[in-house]
Amino acid sequence: MIRRRLRVTGIVQGVGFRPFTHRLAHALKLSGWVRNDASGVTIEIQGDAPVLDAFAARLRTDAPSSAQIDTLEVEPCERLGQEAGFQILDSEAGGTQRATIGPDLCICPACLAELFDPTNRRYRYALINCTDCGPRYTIAARLPYDRANTSMARFAQCPACLAEYRAPRDRRFHAEPNACPSCGPQLSFFRAADDGKALPVSPAVDPVAEALAHLRRGDVVAIKGLGGFHLACDARNASAVEKLRARKSREEKPLAVMVANLASLVELAESGAAEAAALNDVARPIVLLPKRGNSDARLPGVAPGLGWLGAMLPYTPLQYLLFHEAAGRPAGTDWLAEAQPLALVMTSANPQGEPLITDDSEALDRLRGIADAWLLHDREILIRCDDSVVRPLPGQTGPQFLRRARGYTPRAIPLAPANSNHDVLALGGFFKNTLCLTRGDQAFLSQHIGDLDRVANCRALEAAVDHLTGLLQVRPEALAHDLHPDFFSTRLALQLAERWQVPALGVQHHHAHIAAVLAEHRLDAPVLGLALDGVGLGTDGQPWGGELLRVDGASFERLGHLRPLPMPGGDRAAREPWRMGAAALALLGRGDEIARRFAHEPGAAAVAQMLRGQAPTTTSMGRWFDAAAGLLGVQPRMSFEGQAAMRLEGLAQAFGPFDLRTPLHKLDASTGCVQLDLSPTLAELIEATDVKQAAALFHAALIYALADWVGAAAESQGILTVVCAGGCFLNAILARGLRRALQHRGLQMLEAQAAPPGDGGLALGQAWVARRTLQESDRLKAGTP
């Protein structure tokens, strides 16, 4: 008989790993103990060597599905003579922090069964959970993940719950948020008075039934979730949707819809195996699905003019209870296999683009005049976390992120071990901000923070820095930031670098986009980088956005760019695609047509005059999309970023594939930096009468042109790997078509998957470049090649 000590790191706290270890040791008749500590989990186990070998192997193969073992170290230790059984010890404080915590998880099937079982003591209890499901990250104040370190600390477990918590064979054994109606958090309901002020409703009234009644009569209801509040309304009620849009000042941006199950989506959107897997994932993200033809009629005003519907399934017990109430409170779970008519708009409760509301009193105050009613619970949310948004990628191992947040944060992104000797903090860009903190060979991307155009979002970024560095116990050796000096994220990076006395490293925007993909693919070799987005400051001080780069670690070379487009009115042109349409006419030598073609625009004559002078220019791919939309009259003005491009994609999707027989682009290498000129494509759109066909033509011509441009660079550089990144690659038609075109040329295309391809993944790339910069500096100091 021998004794061994096992140290396990990874996501092994808050996922039922200690109870699993206890059950496994008991099944194998081994003695010893397990406990959480600063590194993860430590186990001492005693028995015969073959059985201990089996124990270690099964730790990996049989671990809870939500666990993630990064390392498992085994060493011998002194055998104990008289040891009985196997115990879970109290967590050990101190030491070097290497532990991580898992993300929040949707309610599991076992808890769902109890939730709808009238004989169960947790029947219709809205905060039900166990070791396999429920909140984790959003209720954790610090590590190790023990109840005392969560927002459940103030709820003392009743005798029945405490017995479950202490019973090794119970699935609530050491479930830290464990609770029941007798001892746990409770629901409450408020309604708006005539002056909008929230008034409490009698505790005798069922909050869930009251919330559903308000939803059915067309009201907007604020509902507390895992990482914040949603604003909900009946998605089938046009006036309710219009009311929500007006109150939230969200004129046209698409809204997400929650339905009870896959069967309820059949009439609204198309979904195959990849879509179903994403919808049913324990993370429960919003999934972009191709609309069915009559979707807009069934969900009026939810996602107008777009080819995609953002849909999700319930993930909290409270959300399931709303659908259960609408179904007539059937016993059991069989009803969940049947289509349910209820469809709810569920949009983040963040007025005017500010951070998501998490606090009850804040919700009652700041949603006054927006919500007609409030459905609350008194379990405190410590960390705000929006819903994640994904798009399935056929043939890929998982979906692509548009927004990486609840259900995935703070799950680490593994990095190449060779790039792991410096821990850095990267603060991202301006739009869709996230931060990234590295620790060893892992990168921790924060939840979505938002655009840094509001003081509240800037404060949220500061809070996220404090929380993530504190939670992971990392003191960064360097700060990384965008080159733009006026971004709040840049200024904060410089301030923190001075405070901590560490270097601050500026990383060019499009270099960071490509580097983010290199980081997640753990690739350390020269690649071609195709970065297509709206805007990013170039090394020449000009706005870039359509860039062909050679990227080699911490350095890059600009091989080519899109032909610069004039931007009449500067940044205003990025919000008014008709101006970019006018710029396209001027570029084609048809500037005298601007006033006539855009006669309905009061500023048309002034724009024509600007374009005869020296208007600012950009190489942005986003502005070429806007120019196409402007020429086709698709979206003269945008109410949210990327709207024109999304409308174009929807029109092209509706038309279907376009068979382009001749190229509609030009390559110009006269300056040494190869320009891709798409003006011949725009010329084809000027007289188009079928807008859907024209949108499909634009996409087909763009794919042809990009493949030609990249193919020529691949041949001249001798590089066969092409990394594609930037917000334009959220366009499924573009990404799918270019992938096929490059494969046809014998090139490998790598895309973002673990992080968004747009600015939501920028911090990951900044961190990767900063680490490579520090690594190369180390080599120079050591005199090694």
Side-chain angles (χ1 to χ4, degrees):
M1 180 176 291
I2 60 174
R3 189 176 184 87
R4 291 174 180 169
R5 181 178 296 114
L6 288 73
R7 293 188 172 89
V8 191
T9 68
I11 300 178
V12 290
Q13 294 190 16
V15 291
F17 196 85
R18 289 175 299 165
F20 152 71
T21 302
H22 186 282
R23 289 191 293 270
L24 179 59
H26 181 80
L28 296 177
K29 297 181 172 55
L30 298 171
S31 65
W33 51 261
V34 60
R35 70 181 172 204
N36 285 343
D37 56 29
S39 297
V41 166
T42 298
I43 304 165
E44 283 198 9
I45 194 83
Q46 186 164 297
D48 294 333
V51 185
L52 295 184
D53 292 341
F55 174 84
R58 289 180 63 180
L59 278 182
R60 287 189 178 277
T61 60
D62 298 359
S65 58
S66 301
Q68 176 183 304
I69 295 179
D70 293 331
T71 64
L72 174 58
E73 298 176 355
V74 182
E75 61 183 24
C77 57
E78 185 177 350
R79 183 169 67 88
L80 300 183
Q82 298 296 322
E83 184 179 50
F86 191 89
Q87 303 177 65
I88 294 181
L89 303 183
D90 291 338
S91 298
E92 181 182 50
T96 302
Q97 181 66 265
R98 276 333 206 193
T100 57
I101 187 173
D104 299 296
L105 304 172
C106 73
I107 183 173
C108 69
C111 283
L112 268 181
E114 291 180 347
L115 186 66
F116 302 130
D117 178 1
T119 66
N120 191 279
R121 71 188 184 94
R122 290 188 175 88
Y123 175 61
R124 291 180 59 82
Y125 178 54
L127 284 302
I128 189 172
N129 66 84
C130 70
T131 54
D132 296 325
C133 67
R136 299 291 187 272
Y137 179 62
T138 55
I139 64 167
R142 65 193 68 85
L143 292 176
Y145 180 71
D146 294 327
R147 192 181 183 97
N149 293 333
T150 73
S151 59
M152 288 297 294
R154 69 186 184 92
F155 296 99
Q157 296 183 79
C158 66
C161 284
L162 199 57
E164 294 169 331
Y165 184 84
R166 292 173 173 170
R169 294 183 178 275
D170 196 287
R171 81 173 195 283
R172 292 190 172 89
F173 183 44
H174 280 265
E176 304 305 346
N178 188 35
C180 76
S182 298
C183 64
Q186 302 295 318
L187 295 182
S188 59
F189 191 81
F190 290 73
R191 63 171 180 82
D194 292 340
D195 62 357
K197 185 178 180 180
L199 300 176
V201 172
S202 167
V205 174
D206 185 314
V208 174
E210 192 70 8
L212 181 66
H214 277 266
L215 290 166
R216 281 179 160 163
R217 67 172 176 241
D219 285 345
V220 175
V221 181
I223 302 174
K224 193 172 184 180
L226 279 178
F229 279 78
H230 286 110
L231 289 171
C233 72
D234 183 352
R236 300 183 189 274
N237 184 330
S239 62
V241 174
E242 184 179 358
K243 181 198 294 186
L244 174 57
R245 285 192 176 281
R247 291 180 178 180
K248 199 185 173 187
S249 299
R250 184 166 174 155
E251 297 176 5
E252 297 177 293
K253 195 171 184 179
L255 299 166
V257 173
M258 178 179 285
V259 295
N261 49 32
L262 288 175
S264 305
L265 271 175
V266 170
E267 64 175 12
L268 305 174
E270 300 174 8
S271 61
E275 289 80 6
L279 285 161
N280 280 311
D281 190 88
V282 293
R284 284 292 199 277
I286 297 170
V287 182
L288 293 191
L289 306 171
K291 285 181 180 176
R292 293 202 181 275
N294 59 353
S295 175
D296 284 345
R298 295 179 184 275
L299 303 174
V302 169
L306 303 179
W308 307 86
L309 176 68
M312 61 177 161
L313 303 185
Y315 53 87
T316 70
L318 181 55
Q319 292 162 358
Y320 269 104
L321 286 175
L322 287 168
F323 289 96
H324 186 240
E325 186 73 25
R329 298 193 180 186
T333 58
D334 289 349
W335 65 279
L336 281 172
E338 303 166 359
Q340 302 296 324
L342 182 64
L344 298 175
V345 166
M346 295 287 262
T347 186
S348 301
N350 55 338
Q352 288 79 47
E354 294 192 353
L356 186 65
I357 290 174
T358 59
D359 180 72
D360 290 8
S361 59
E362 183 186 13
L364 294 173
D365 178 40
R366 294 192 57 223
L367 297 179
R368 182 174 174 175
I370 298 177
D372 298 300
W374 292 258
L375 179 56
L376 312 179
H377 61 74
D378 57 346
R379 184 180 66 205
E380 187 180 0
I381 298 171
L382 299 184
I383 305 299
R384 63 172 51 88
C385 214
D386 285 91
D387 292 316
S388 295
V389 185
V390 304
R391 168 177 273 160
L393 290 177
Q396 301 294 322
T397 55
Q400 180 185 62
F401 287 100
L402 282 75
R403 184 169 71 201
R404 189 179 192 267
R406 180 194 50 76
Y408 300 95
T409 302
R411 188 178 292 274
I413 298 172
L415 301 174
N419 189 232
S420 64
N421 56 338
H422 291 286
D423 295 335
V424 303
L425 173 64
L427 293 187
F430 179 83
F431 293 111
K432 302 177 178 63
N433 180 270
T434 62
L435 65 86
C436 182
L437 181 64
T438 68
R439 190 180 70 181
D441 57 359
Q442 295 178 315
F444 296 87
L445 199 62
S446 77
Q447 67 273 29
H448 170 80
I449 292 168
D451 300 347
L452 300 183
D453 57 350
R454 302 177 187 279
V455 172
N457 290 356
C458 295
R459 299 290 85 83
L461 175 59
E462 293 176 323
V465 169
D466 291 341
H467 176 257
L468 205 55
T469 55
L471 186 71
L472 300 175
Q473 290 292 288
V474 172
R475 179 68 176 268
E477 300 168 54
L479 275 294
H481 58 84
D482 193 87
L483 291 184
H484 202 299
D486 296 331
F487 287 176
F488 176 80
S489 54
T490 299
R491 297 199 301 270
L492 179 59
L494 296 175
Q495 292 168 11
L496 292 173
E498 184 176 0
R499 183 192 307 168
W500 294 335
Q501 292 297 291
V502 297
L505 306 171
V507 181
Q508 198 279 322
H509 190 93
H510 301 96
H511 184 196
H513 273 317
I514 302 305
V517 181
L518 293 174
E520 70 161 283
H521 287 276
R522 290 182 272 184
L523 184 61
D524 191 11
V527 298
L528 291 178
L530 181 61
L532 306 177
D533 65 1
V535 66
L537 187 67
T539 53
D540 58 1
Q542 297 302 307
W544 293 3
E547 312 305 316
L548 183 56
L549 311 176
R550 176 191 169 103
V551 175
D552 189 0
S555 64
F556 77 94
E557 177 186 358
R558 193 186 193 195
L559 302 178
H561 56 78
L562 297 181
R563 180 180 178 182
L565 266 178
M567 290 182 65
D571 288 345
R572 189 171 177 180
R575 300 188 298 272
E576 300 181 7
W578 77 267
R579 290 174 176 260
M580 295 309 303
L585 288 175
L587 199 71
L588 292 164
R590 300 173 66 167
D592 57 343
E593 300 177 23
I594 293 173
R596 175 183 58 80
R597 190 177 186 93
F598 299 104
H600 55 286
E601 295 290 350
V607 164
Q609 181 63 33
M610 287 181 205
L611 289 166
R612 284 192 285 270
Q614 291 294 316
T617 62
T618 179
T619 60
S620 165
M621 184 73 250
R623 302 295 77 80
W624 283 90
F625 269 95
D626 292 346
L631 287 174
L632 294 173
V634 168
Q635 192 73 44
R637 287 173 174 78
M638 294 192 288
S639 63
F640 62 91
E641 184 194 10
Q643 185 179 15
M646 292 169 68
R647 288 287 308 278
L648 274 181
E649 182 187 9
L651 291 165
Q653 180 80 11
F655 181 83
F658 185 92
D659 186 15
L660 186 72
R661 299 187 181 277
T662 57
L664 294 173
H665 67 276
K666 293 182 289 189
L667 296 178
D668 179 4
S670 61
T671 62
C673 196
V674 183
Q675 281 193 25
L676 172 60
D677 182 2
L678 298 171
S679 59
T681 301
L682 296 185
E684 290 291 314
L685 306 183
I686 293 175
E687 306 302 334
T689 56
D690 185 333
V691 178
K692 291 181 181 178
Q693 183 184 56
L697 179 150
F698 176 77
H699 281 80
L702 177 58
I703 291 164
Y704 193 127
L706 292 173
D708 194 23
W709 189 34
V710 171
E715 186 174 348
S716 66
Q717 295 290 318
I719 296 175
L720 300 180
T721 302
V722 184
V723 172
C724 295
C728 291
F729 283 101
L730 292 171
N731 183 311
I733 297 174
L734 170 60
R736 185 171 58 242
L738 186 58
R739 191 183 311 120
R740 284 197 297 261
L742 293 180
Q743 287 173 348
H744 183 70
R745 290 171 176 263
L747 302 176
Q748 179 188 24
M749 175 172 159
L750 297 181
E751 300 170 79
Q753 199 167 336
D759 286 4
L762 201 65
L764 174 61
Q766 292 172 346
W768 188 88
V769 172
R771 283 159 64 101
R772 287 301 310 271
T773 300
L774 295 173
Q775 195 175 41
E776 290 174 15
S777 177
D778 289 345
R779 283 201 293 264
L780 287 174
K781 290 176 183 176
T784 56

